Amino acid sequence: MGHGGGGVMSAELVEQVFLPALAGPAPAALTDSATVELGGARLAFSTDSFVVRPLFFPGGSIGDLAVNGTVNDLAMSGARAAYLSCGVILEEGVEISTVGRVAEALGAAARTAGVRVVTGDTKVVEAGHGDGVYINTSGIGLVPPGVDLRPERVVPGDVVIVSGAIGLHGVAILSERENLRFEAEIESDCAALGGLVEAMLAVTPDLHVLRDPTRGGLAASLNEIAAASGAGIVVQERAVPVPPPVANACAVLGLDPMYVANEGKLVAFVPRDHADAVLAAMRAHPLGAEAAVIGEAVAEHPGMVVARTGLGGTRVVDMPLGEQLPRIC
């Protein structure tokens, strides 16, 4: 299960097993979507599979995740998703009413995101060989001229901005899965980020990198960017927006919010000259109303992420080995 958690073990699986087998040149950085040239157009192309348990949770469902997850992967390349494919694997015995609920949620999420599902496939496996419903979606979108989002562009002095409160999705899944109840109900932040990214790019196309911190949370995304860019990253721990219900739940459960999954947030590395304008544009958008500056890229400790604590000390924010909570997307 650790190999599916988006941390060190996931990276080792890809780098040691799949990349050598594919026999192609390894990209400088493994991102959630690829930018390719086709017929003179720059396209972003991505695929993702969804095995979340339970299928329905506060704030969303596997159907919402299947759309928003792929739309967001494309958005992190600067592309607005245009078309999706959808492959559904059903387990023998799952109720048709459950499949219908998933399909309705998937369709509603696609309409909200402004994307069309244009092709798909269904398969059924024997009882005991699945977990109700698994979904794979792939998507394509156009990358606007002048947009070049990749971690190699990060330089010391870049401002690190997160679009809002972290940890909501992972804690919402855990509370539903384990029937835990906290003082306030916690709902997933599952949402499509294409509109927010468009608002940011309207300020300047010169954003350096975007990443949606899903599996492995904010800590994994920052470590991936630091490793690919060679820059160090300093985060002000108190500046990271952690809502009180998430902080309280994590304290009770022994979790670190920095490592908890999100499904409707992004982290951006922005040139300092544009940071204030980009932050203002984010806060003017419903999905970025709580956006906050949390740190900066630095020349010191290259490839390492460090958090400055509220007590004035520092701690290293390591890449997670696996996922604190498996099967959250």
Side-chain angles (χ1 to χ4, degrees), residues 61 63-64 66-67 86 88 101-111 117 135 137:
S61 70
D64 301 282
V67 171
C86 178
V88 182
R101 286 180 63 195
V102 170
E104 289 291 336
L106 193 150
R111 289 187 290 273
V117 180
I135 301 177
T137 49

Side-chain angles (χ1 to χ4, degrees), residues 31-210:
T31 55
D32 289 333
S33 63
T35 301
V36 297
E37 299 277 347
L38 184 64
R42 290 179 69 217
L43 299 176
F45 179 38
S46 183
T47 189
D48 207 346
S49 299
F50 300 88
V51 296
V52 65
R53 180 170 59 86
L55 298 177
F56 305 95
F57 47 84
S61 70
I62 192 172
D64 301 282
L65 283 176
V67 171
N68 294 338
T70 295
V71 166
N72 291 348
D73 286 347
L74 295 172
M76 298 307 104
S77 291
R80 185 66 181 262
Y83 301 108
L84 298 182
S85 71
C86 178
V88 182
I89 299 174
L90 305 174
E91 182 186 19
E92 178 188 16
V94 65
E95 294 184 359
I96 293 297
S97 60
T98 297
V99 179
R101 286 180 63 195
V102 170
E104 289 291 336
L106 193 150
R111 289 187 290 273
T112 299
V115 64
R116 291 181 57 201
V117 180
V118 294
T119 188
D121 181 54
T122 58
K123 293 290 188 295
V124 177
V125 298
E126 296 89 345
H129 292 266
D131 199 1
V133 180
Y134 297 151
I135 301 177
N136 171 275
T137 49
S138 296
I140 57 173
L142 283 171
V143 180
V147 173
D148 183 18
L149 296 171
R150 48 192 174 88
E152 294 86 355
R153 297 194 63 216
V154 170
V155 296
D158 280 358
V159 174
V160 183
I161 304 175
V162 69
S163 64
I166 66 168
L168 292 164
H169 179 71
V171 174
I173 292 292
L174 180 61
S175 64
E176 188 71 11
R177 186 182 297 176
E178 305 299 335
N179 197 28
L180 302 175
R181 293 294 176 263
F182 302 105
E183 186 174 336
E185 184 177 10
I186 300 172
E187 292 191 353
S188 169
D189 59 345
C190 184
L193 297 170
L196 176 60
V197 171
E198 283 191 343
M200 297 166 68
L201 291 173
V203 173
T204 174
D206 189 30
L207 306 179
H208 284 171
V209 68
L210 302 177

